[in-house]
């Protein structure tokens, strides 16, 4: 526990009182909720989580103690507030990759440039050896040549390893004007307008493996019961 900038006992007590008040508001919102996905319950949940996190941090800083509460990361979307029959939509996609085999990536970029000597490598040089000189240049060549979905299905060929990915389908009242959002394509994504969402992550596989291990342990306990 550091002696620097420790919170006072009064600050810790105030944070504890804030948690109590947030608990009351959360219970009240749950008791009064209008249905599944009630925004009031969602807001009260976030307030309670934030208050508990502040208290936990102050308690640790002041007394080197922790609470028994685990504050979950909130990856849920708020209740849908868009039109019942959307006339337009946007599809927002993010895919993460790790460059695990740089040489494979460089070779693929060079192969593309060899087939098209006039290809723009983005560094004021055309084709030739420029395409395979750096990972930065090679990424521009590969992603400029292939569609994102094709790279996703062939990522290993390009020396890439998949990370997390997500796809949001966002409703709109009307289609935007051409070129309207190109300068900041993701700034106008309103979570309240998300019709559906699809996430992929290795963390889901890890959770599934843990559940399977727990099931196996339970089966073993049943077999090893006394007197069996």
């Amino acid at each position: 526990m550091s002696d620097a900038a420790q919170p006072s006992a009064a600050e810790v007590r105030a944070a504890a009182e804030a948690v109590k008040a947030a608990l009351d508001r959360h219970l009240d919102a749950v008791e009064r909720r209008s249905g599944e996905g009630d925004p009031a319950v969602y807001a009260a949940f976030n307030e309670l989580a934030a208050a508990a996190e502040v208290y936990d941090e102050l308690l640790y800083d002041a007394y080197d103690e922790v609470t028994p509460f685990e504050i979950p990361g909130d990856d849920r979307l708020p209740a849908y507030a868009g039109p019942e029959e959307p006339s337009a939509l946007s599809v927002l996609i993010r895919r993460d990759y790790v460059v695990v085999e740089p040489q494979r990536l460089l070779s693929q970029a060079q192969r593309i440039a060899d087939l098209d000597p006039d290809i723009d490598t983005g560094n004021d040089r055309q084709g030739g050896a420029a395409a395979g000189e750096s990972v930065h240049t090679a990424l521009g060549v590969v992603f400029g040549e292939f569609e994102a979905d094709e790279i996703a299905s062939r990522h290993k060929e390009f020396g890439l390893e998949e990370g997390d990915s997500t796809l949001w389908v966002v409703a709109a009242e009307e289609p935007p004007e051409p070129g309207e959002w190109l300068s900041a394509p993701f700034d106008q994504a309103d979570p309240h307008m998300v019709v559906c969402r699809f996430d992929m992550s290795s963390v889901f596989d890890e959770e599934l493996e843990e559940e399977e291990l727990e099931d196996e342990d339970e089966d073993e306990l049943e077999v090893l019961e006394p007197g069996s």
Side-chain angles (χ1 to χ4, degrees):
M1 181 169 58
S2 172
D3 293 331
Q6 286 186 3
S8 66
E11 289 175 315
V12 179
R13 175 63 61 180
E17 294 300 326
V19 174
K20 297 174 186 178
L23 274 169
D24 288 337
R25 289 193 296 271
H26 181 259
L27 178 57
D28 183 65
V30 170
E31 291 175 339
R32 297 171 181 270
R33 66 181 173 190
S34 58
E36 186 175 355
D38 189 326
V41 175
Y42 178 81
F45 173 90
N46 286 336
E47 291 174 6
L48 176 57
E53 186 172 6
V54 170
Y55 172 62
D56 188 83
E57 291 177 356
L58 291 177
L59 185 70
Y60 182 79
D61 289 342
Y63 301 110
D64 204 20
E65 291 289 345
V66 296
T67 66
F69 312 121
E70 181 179 354
I71 309 302
D74 185 17
D75 58 356
R76 302 178 307 167
L77 290 171
Y80 177 68
E84 288 296 325
E85 298 184 6
S87 58
L89 59 88
S90 295
V91 179
L92 309 180
I93 301 175
R94 171 173 173 169
R95 297 189 180 109
D96 286 356
Y97 297 97
V98 179
V99 181
V100 291
E101 295 184 74
Q103 193 56 50
R104 182 181 291 271
L105 175 66
L106 296 174
S107 297
Q108 288 283 15
Q110 189 60 57
R111 181 183 63 82
I112 295 168
D114 290 343
L115 294 173
D116 183 6
D118 296 326
I119 193 169
D120 183 7
T121 58
N123 57 4
D124 298 327
R125 297 172 62 184
Q126 289 185 327
E133 286 184 349
S134 71
V135 169
H136 178 273
T137 302
L139 286 171
V141 171
V142 169
F143 279 84
E145 178 71 13
F146 297 99
E147 296 287 341
D149 288 342
E150 186 172 2
I151 291 177
S153 63
R154 300 174 53 190
H155 61 276
K156 292 183 179 179
E157 297 179 30
F158 304 111
L160 305 176
E161 182 179 281
E162 287 182 310
D164 290 354
S165 67
T166 188
L167 182 151
W168 292 16
V169 178
V170 184
E173 298 286 355
E174 57 185 25
E177 294 295 326
E180 180 180 341
W181 50 258
L182 290 178
S183 61
F186 305 111
D187 286 358
Q188 299 179 8
D190 184 353
H192 293 87
M193 300 289 280
V194 175
V195 178
C196 55
R197 169 180 174 174
F198 305 95
D199 299 324
M200 293 184 63
S201 174
S202 60
V203 71
F204 300 144
D205 297 333
E206 293 170 1
E207 291 174 354
L208 182 59
E209 289 175 0
E210 290 176 359
E211 292 175 359
E212 291 174 347
L213 288 174
E214 290 175 359
D215 291 341
E216 290 177 2
D217 291 341
E218 291 177 359
D219 292 341
E220 289 178 2
L221 287 173
E222 291 176 0
V223 172
L224 298 176
E225 286 179 352
S228 60

